[in-house]
Each structure stands twice: as structure tokens, then as C-alpha cells.
Amino acid sequence: MFEPAIQYTAMGPWAPRHVSWLEMACYFGGALLVAVLGTWWILYRGGRIGLDEPDTRRKLHEKAISRLGGAPIFLAVGLASLVAGYIGGLGWTRWLPVAICNALIFSVGFVDDLKPLGARVKLIGQIGTALILYSLGVSIDILSNPFGEGSVSLGWWSLPLTLLWLVSIPNIVNLIDGMDGLAGGFGLFLSLTLAFLGYYSGQPDVLVVSLAMAGALAGFLIFNLPPAKIFLGDGGAYLIGFFIASVALFTSNKGSIIGALLVIIIALGVPILDTLFAIIRRAIRGVSIFNADAEHIHHRLILLGYSKGGALAAMYAVCLALSLVGLSILMIKGIALPMVGAILFLLALGAARYLGYIRSWSNFRTQINETMERRRQREFFRAYGRVLDFEVERCADLPSFATLFQHGLERMGLSMHPQTDTQPEILALGGGRYFTIHRPVDANDLAEWHLRIDVLLPALERCLEKWKSLPSSYEIESAAVPPHLPLSVTT
């Protein structure tokens, strides 16, 4: 499978030592305790920084909730790693590249939790961190058969494949972090899977750090299960994903366990499938793959009648089952791999139908045509929104722009004033300002209308900058916004 190039110290190759069950329990329990205490401190002493404020769209929690849940996880794993390295004698110097880069990726997400950086800046930070880890000697250099003879040297392909692995896994974890307890629970199962791989391959350092991450996540989940008191934030999601990706590379260095990454890929089946559905869904609709929506697998399960707890339990069960499938394939030397692959493919198709992504196989072509028509309508809205944005610059005064703005809304089928069979929608602007738009009550779902109406935001923001006012008497203050509009499910 994959064999990363790991740099060794001048002292010679590191020799593993046995880790007792008591030590395992201490690392797991110690990390859990640190995470619990750290999370408690953020909740009750952390002040007002890093709060995720509710809105009237996707964030429907009742009050502001901290997004700094990654900090106590990072602290717990870091302390456990230091203890393992300097007291436990588990080769801390071998882990310096992985430790440094995990700290860097956590920092990128943590800064974003405090003050949004933007998708491009975060992606640059992720790629930069992956490049640093690659330059420090942790890379995918050889593709080998994990269950037989033969291998292929990747040559220059080593760099793009390593970057793809190290960047995609944190983003996959971050993408599914839209439901209380989901990303943290998946991270817990995957960390335990890595711990088993470390135990199975005779790598006690992998076993210990993975148990530390599992303990930290278990402590965090006490406060993150529904209803969540604290969120992972990008810092926590990136840390979990990069930890899994980097430690899996480290683990696969052993010849006896070169299928480690295959095990992780199978265990990540649910988030990978969710990401694949999201990419296909957004590509067909013509929206950015970074555009959040409320159509992830957990949202679909809730629409099918599951409670939040039921949906979470169902996804936990699937993640656990896939982790066991991946480990069993490794342990039986891949004999059943082709059959398992075929079964997983059929299950993915069945999941698409059950979750409603495909309404009917017989009417699949009709569904695609309807989706493409919605895409054309959205492109029209997007184009007209850009025209209105330019008109702000061209108009000499607010009344002139207001006339053009009203005409543009009519072309879009919208209005600034309530009419028969219309539904009010609230656009949140900068500085705590809000603007009401009335849209038709029709067969289009709420998320579709949000995508269309949001194209007006740039023009309205620019209007505020230029004239300090908006082209409507229906401007309202934040206090007038209904606190619990039934707009959409949280993503």
C-alpha cells in the first residue's frame, strides 16, 4: 500500500518497547481528564471570545456557543505526547515532524474560530502545513500491494498524493462537523482504529498517541453530544483530520501494516460518501463546493424522521462497522477485498436512494432536468445581482439606485413589500443591520431561495458603505428579527 519516508535520529533506528494495559489506561484517562477540565474552563471562564452566534438560516441554536472546543483536545494530546516521549520513553523525537505540523494546522483553524480567515486563506494554510510535513520526511513514496508481493515507486507523484491525503482528510472531517457530536464521535472511532493498528503492528508510540486522542475526544464529547454546549470549530476539526491523516502515514511505515491507510479510507466511508454527495450535488447545481447547505446525510436522516440522537447513533454504528470491516480485511490479508468493495459500492447507491438524493431510479433523468433548470434560474439571479452591485457605483444618489433595485427585484420575482402569496426572508448585513425581501411561496425549497436571494447581499452592503442607508422603508434593526424563524436545519 503506502510507505512513508520517516527520518530517524543520529542515535539509530528507534526500538519499540512494550506498553502495559495500565499505561494505556493512564494515557487514555489522563487525556480525557485534561480535555474535560479544559472544556469546562472554556465554558465557564472563557469569556466572550470565539462564540458562534445563532442566525435565522443555518445556525438555529438558542444562544451563542463557543467554537473553541479544539483547544482542550489539542492541550490534552500535546501533554500526553510529552509525557510519552520524555517520561515513557516512546521516542518523542521521531514524532517532532508530526507534532509540529499538527500544531500548525490546529493554529490555522483556531485563528479562524476567533476571526474568520476565508476559505482561500485556510486552504493555503493547509497546503503549507502539508508541504512542511512532506519536507520533513513524512510522505507516500511507494505504492505496494498490502496483501501480496510487488510495489511501485511513485517518484515525483509522491508529492501530489501526499498533499492530497493530508489536505483532503481534515476538510472531510470539517465538512461533516454539522451536527452535535458527529465529527468528534467519528474522530474517536478512527483514533481507536489507529490505536489498534499501532498495537497490531508493534508500534507502541502510535498506540499511545492514538489512545491520547481518543481519550481527549471522549472528554470533549461529554459537552458536545446533543444538545451541544461547545463546538469543535475549525481548529478542532482540522486537528482531528490532520492527526488521523498524519498518524496513518506514520503507522504505515511498518512493512507488516502497509495497509493502514486502506483501513482508514474504509473507516472514513461515511464522511467520504457525504463529501462525494456534496461535491456532486453542488457541482450539478452550479454552486461552490464550499457553499454550506442543509442536505448532508445527517440532515437527510432527520428529515426521514430520526431524532438527532437517533441519527447520531445510526451514523456511529455505520462508522464502527466500517472500521471493523477495514481491520478485518487487513487481518485476513485482503482475501475478501474485491467482494467488500462491490458491496460498499452497492450500499452507496442504496444510501443515495434511501436518503432521497435520488428520488426514483425510473425518473432520475427528470430529476436531473429539474435540477438543471434550477441552476439556470440561479445563474440568472447571480448575474442580476452583479448588475445591481455595479449600479451602486454608477448611481449618483440613493433614490436613483432604489428605482433600479426595485426593477431588478421585479425581474427576479421578488419585492420589498408584502404581497399576496409572498413569504418574508431576512438578509443579515454587516454592522447588525437587516433587510427584508419578500419572495413567492412556491414549490422551490427554502435552501434554493436562500441561494437566490443571497446574491443581493454585495449590492446592499455596498449601498450601506456609499450612502449609509438602504433602498427600502422595510429596513429593520437586529432586535426586530424573530429569534426562531423556521428557516432551515443547522449544517
Side-chain angles (χ1 to χ4, degrees), residues 414-462:
L414 305 172
S415 173
M416 289 187 289
H417 309 285
Q419 299 176 3
T420 305
D421 296 329
T422 61
Q423 170 75 38
E425 296 292 343
I426 296 174
L427 295 176
L429 306 176
R433 307 287 285 276
Y434 291 83
F435 191 82
T436 303
I437 290 291
H438 296 266
R439 52 93 174 169
V441 178
D442 56 21
N444 287 312
D445 57 47
L446 197 57
E448 176 66 21
W449 272 113
H450 287 167
L451 288 172
R452 295 183 184 183
I453 294 174
D454 283 351
V455 302
L456 299 172
L457 285 171
L460 292 171
E461 293 280 11
R462 196 181 294 267

Side-chain angles (χ1 to χ4, degrees), residues 79-103:
L79 288 176
S81 299
L82 287 173
V83 171
Y86 289 108
I87 298 178
L90 291 173
W92 167 247
T93 54
R94 290 194 340 127
W95 285 86
L96 275 177
V98 174
I100 291 170
C101 291
N102 272 273

Side-chain angles (χ1 to χ4, degrees), residues 161-172:
L161 283 179
T162 303
L163 293 185
L164 178 64
W165 175 258
L166 293 174
V167 172
S168 61
I169 302 304
N171 281 291
I172 286 173

Side-chain angles (χ1 to χ4, degrees), residues 184-228:
F186 274 36
L188 172 60
F189 288 121
L190 289 165
S191 297
L192 291 174
T193 301
L194 284 173
F196 180 84
L197 290 176
Y199 178 82
Y200 182 77
S201 62
Q203 297 183 87
D205 49 351
V206 172
L207 168 63
V208 165
V209 296
S210 299
L211 282 176
M213 174 59 84
L217 289 172
F220 169 76
L221 281 171
I222 295 174
F223 304 92
N224 185 238
L225 291 174

Side-chain angles (χ1 to χ4, degrees), residues 285 287 295 370-371 373-379 381 439 442-454:
R285 292 177 175 178
V287 299
E295 297 193 43
E370 291 174 358
T371 302
E373 176 59 30
R374 285 188 173 191
R375 176 173 179 167
R376 286 188 287 270
Q377 289 290 331
R378 200 178 303 115
E379 288 174 349
F381 272 65
R439 52 93 174 169
D442 56 21
N444 287 312
D445 57 47
L446 197 57
E448 176 66 21
W449 272 113
H450 287 167
L451 288 172
R452 295 183 184 183
I453 294 174
D454 283 351

Side-chain angles (χ1 to χ4, degrees), residues 299-454:
H299 295 133
R300 291 286 182 166
L301 289 174
I302 291 173
L303 289 175
L304 287 172
Y306 288 76
S307 65
K308 280 189 177 182
L312 189 64
M315 297 186 74
Y316 278 0
V318 174
C319 180
L320 176 60
L322 290 176
S323 298
L324 295 175
V325 167
L327 290 172
S328 65
I329 290 174
L330 180 68
M331 297 179 71
I332 62 175
K333 308 303 180 184
I335 296 175
L337 182 59
M339 181 181 297
V340 170
I343 292 174
L344 292 177
F345 176 74
L346 293 176
L347 287 175
L349 292 179
R353 176 67 184 90
Y354 176 73
L355 295 169
Y357 293 120
I358 298 174
R359 292 198 298 265
S360 169
W361 293 111
S362 58
N363 295 323
F364 183 61
R365 185 185 183 91
T366 301
Q367 184 179 348
I368 292 294
N369 291 336
E370 291 174 358
T371 302
M372 296 308 294
E373 176 59 30
R374 285 188 173 191
R375 176 173 179 167
R376 286 188 287 270
Q377 289 290 331
R378 200 178 303 115
E379 288 174 349
F380 171 78
F381 272 65
R382 188 182 298 119
Y384 226 109
R386 294 193 65 190
V387 169
L388 291 174
D389 192 15
F390 289 131
E391 291 290 6
V392 177
E393 296 298 324
R394 292 169 56 87
C395 291
D397 51 46
L398 180 58
S400 300
F401 174 71
T403 301
L404 294 172
F405 186 73
Q406 178 63 43
H407 176 71
L409 291 184
E410 291 173 358
R411 294 282 294 162
M412 298 180 188
L414 305 172
S415 173
M416 289 187 289
H417 309 285
Q419 299 176 3
T420 305
D421 296 329
T422 61
Q423 170 75 38
E425 296 292 343
I426 296 174
L427 295 176
L429 306 176
R433 307 287 285 276
Y434 291 83
F435 191 82
T436 303
I437 290 291
H438 296 266
R439 52 93 174 169
V441 178
D442 56 21
N444 287 312
D445 57 47
L446 197 57
E448 176 66 21
W449 272 113
H450 287 167
L451 288 172
R452 295 183 184 183
I453 294 174
D454 283 351

